[in-house]
Amino acid sequence: MTVSHNGGTPRYNPLESMRKRLDKAVEILGLDDQFANVLRVPDKVVMANIPVTMDDGTIQVFEAYRVVHSVHSGPSKGGIRYSMDVNLDEVKALAAWMTWKCAVVNVPYGGAKGGIKCNPRAMSKGELERLTRAYTLSMRNVFGPDKDIPAPDMGTSSQEMAWIVDEFSKIQGHNSYAVVTGKPLVLGGSLGRVEATGRGVMVSTRSALAKMGINPTQATCVVQGFGNVGSISAKLIAQLGVKIIAISDISGGYHNPDGIDIPKAIEYVANSESRSLEGFSGCQRISNEELLELECDVLVPAAMEDQITPENAARIKAKLIVEGANGPTTAGADDILNEKGILVVPDILANAGGVTVSYFEWVQNRLGYYWTEERVNRRADRAMKMAFDNLYQRADKEGISMRMAAYVVAVEKVSRTLKLRGSF
Ligand code: NAD
């Protein structure tokens, strides 16, 4: 793993982490290296510079990307991220992970991802709307219900999806709900979508604890990140009877060995001006680094990439890691966690509940027939449980980690599809 140093802070490259694991899967499957080259690179990379008039009258130019990794088994699918850390390698890695994720949960899509280098927390609603509409216009030939379907990711929500639907529909001349998922309910969103990713993390946690013979009511859990994925994962895992002893977000970590009232923390963030846990009382303040190394049964990294690295992996004390975020563990940390006997439910399985219900949303849009929340949850839970059992068995049979089993299953499926189509 190449580590570059920026002001003393090690930086890892998620694309390298993705490729290292892909290469291992290629080796296990005995795939031809020339063929593997098709999987290593994206189908299409679109970069745009988007000028936006800010509220103070100045014009700012934003760097924006959409990367389509694959379209072998349907339209490409993947979220749009608004963050100052957005860069091309990150978007390429996230797009490839979407390909593998869809294959793992049997969702008939390829993989894509979008990103805009911006700080959404420092922008007004009007500025965000102008940026999102301009991005949609710029990507009008990429997006489409049968071509490429965005969704929310870090820094974006159902509001951005509503602006994309509106702008794209105007360009098309007719309503096009199915162009994005994660929409507000009144605009063709699906019941259960907001909670879907956290719900899948909970199903993965429940399945893994059962395999490990750990009673949830005796277990403790630490969650990093308290946005869509982290807060809902924490809430639903707490509902299993697990004690959540620490949570964190951009403002730092909050630790209480007696357990944290998660609904109260969610309400606190919703009503706070900073939309963060800053000032949340009843907990000891710790850093995000300390939080990862706490003694606990379950650790759910649900913030961002490269949190568990060769530098801290040896100090992780959790027995189980369930990856809510994409790429929270670098490839260099995999072996250290495996040697310590920590079970890792990999991102491309653990957070796949989101894309599963996104698929259900797209199906409902196209049918014009909407399901009950109970139906959405039941089908999503079943899909997650089946995928978990499949990977667990494959890992057991081949003597490999669940992460490698996930890559092997995904790469096997994608390469079979590509070879049958034979378009090279
Ligand atoms: P979000 O923007 O809703 O929340 C991100 C959270 O991480 C916030 O609480 C933020 O304060 C926190 N955070 C940011 N920097 C941090 C830091 N340095 N240390 C600790 N916490 C920090 O984003 P989200 O949608 O919850 O996404 C989180 C992760 O889950 C990302 O990796 C994303 O790609 C992945 N993911 C999201 C979905 C989805 O449906 N939203 C689906 C699959 C995977």
Side-chain angles (χ1 to χ4, degrees), residues 283-301:
C283 295
Q284 192 198 334
R285 292 298 307 265
I286 54 172
S287 68
N288 260 297
E289 292 72 36
E290 289 168 323
L291 174 121
L292 294 170
E293 297 170 19
L294 285 174
E295 190 92 47
C296 63
D297 295 296
V298 191
L299 173 62
V300 180

Side-chain angles (χ1 to χ4, degrees), residues 141-177:
N141 293 324
V142 181
F143 295 166
D146 286 308
K147 287 160 73 180
D148 177 45
I149 311 158
D153 191 69
M154 260 176 94
T156 55
S157 67
S158 58
Q159 176 61 80
E160 282 74 17
M161 300 307 113
W163 291 326
I164 295 176
V165 163
D166 189 67
E167 193 65 25
F168 190 79
S169 297
K170 279 181 189 159
I171 296 164
Q172 297 300 309
H174 59 84
N175 250 346
S176 184
Y177 283 163

Side-chain angles (χ1 to χ4, degrees), residues 81 94 101 113 121 152-156 193 197 224-230 248-251 276 288 302-305 307 324-326 351-352 354-355:
R81 176 173 290 195
L94 289 161
K101 195 182 298 186
K113 203 81 183 188
R121 288 157 62 91
D153 191 69
M154 260 176 94
T156 55
R193 174 61 186 91
T197 307
Q224 184 196 40
F226 209 67
N228 172 277
V229 182
S248 75
D249 67 5
I250 190 114
S251 70
S276 77
N288 260 297
M304 57 209 290
E305 296 101 75
Q307 297 303 295
N326 285 308
N351 67 37
V355 75

Side-chain angles (χ1 to χ4, degrees), residues 18 66-70 72-73 75-80 90-114 148-153 181 193 326 347-348 351-356 358-359 407 410 414:
M18 190 290 293
R66 185 72 182 170
V67 172
V68 173
H69 177 258
S70 69
H72 62 285
S73 68
S76 51
K77 184 89 189 83
I80 298 172
E90 181 191 65
V91 186
K92 280 183 181 173
L94 289 161
W97 279 325
M98 286 306 298
T99 297
W100 315 134
K101 195 182 298 186
C102 291
V104 160
V105 281
N106 276 317
V107 164
Y109 289 141
K113 203 81 183 188
D148 177 45
I149 311 158
D153 191 69
T181 59
R193 174 61 186 91
N326 285 308
D347 47 6
I348 55 175
N351 67 37
V355 75
T356 302
S358 272
Y359 168 54
Y407 273 79
V414 173

Side-chain angles (χ1 to χ4, degrees), residues 94-315:
L94 289 161
W97 279 325
M98 286 306 298
T99 297
W100 315 134
K101 195 182 298 186
C102 291
V104 160
V105 281
N106 276 317
V107 164
Y109 289 141
K113 203 81 183 188
I116 305 182
K117 193 176 167 77
C118 67
N119 178 3
R121 288 157 62 91
M123 291 170 72
S124 71
K125 196 168 175 187
E127 289 168 343
L128 286 169
E129 177 171 355
R130 293 194 287 281
L131 176 63
T132 306
R133 286 186 185 278
Y135 178 67
T136 309
L137 190 62
S138 165
M139 299 294 165
R140 65 190 177 279
N141 293 324
V142 181
F143 295 166
D146 286 308
K147 287 160 73 180
D148 177 45
I149 311 158
D153 191 69
M154 260 176 94
T156 55
S157 67
S158 58
Q159 176 61 80
E160 282 74 17
M161 300 307 113
W163 291 326
I164 295 176
V165 163
D166 189 67
E167 193 65 25
F168 190 79
S169 297
K170 279 181 189 159
I171 296 164
Q172 297 300 309
H174 59 84
N175 250 346
S176 184
Y177 283 163
V179 68
V180 292
T181 59
K183 297 178 290 289
L185 273 183
V186 289
L187 271 179
S190 175
L191 290 165
R193 174 61 186 91
V194 172
E195 299 215 331
T197 307
R199 200 174 164 84
V201 171
M202 177 274 288
V203 172
S204 298
T205 305
R206 187 173 62 195
S207 307
L209 287 175
K211 296 281 184 207
M212 296 165 82
I214 298 176
N215 180 344
T217 62
Q218 310 289 312
T220 55
C221 175
V222 167
V223 181
Q224 184 196 40
F226 209 67
N228 172 277
V229 182
S231 66
I232 291 163
S233 299
K235 182 178 89 176
L236 299 179
I237 291 171
Q239 285 173 8
L240 297 175
V242 176
K243 194 195 282 179
I244 312 291
I245 57 163
I247 55 178
S248 75
D249 67 5
I250 190 114
S251 70
Y254 302 77
H255 179 215
N256 183 347
D258 296 328
I260 297 170
D261 183 340
I262 299 299
K264 201 171 128 192
I266 290 175
E267 203 188 321
Y268 181 86
V269 172
N271 296 324
S272 84
E273 217 165 89
S274 64
R275 292 267 157 171
S276 77
L277 287 162
E278 185 67 64
F280 183 62
S281 59
C283 295
Q284 192 198 334
R285 292 298 307 265
I286 54 172
S287 68
N288 260 297
E289 292 72 36
E290 289 168 323
L291 174 121
L292 294 170
E293 297 170 19
L294 285 174
E295 190 92 47
C296 63
D297 295 296
V298 191
L299 173 62
V300 180
M304 57 209 290
E305 296 101 75
D306 305 337
Q307 297 303 295
I308 303 172
T309 68
E311 301 183 12
N312 64 2
R315 296 192 297 272

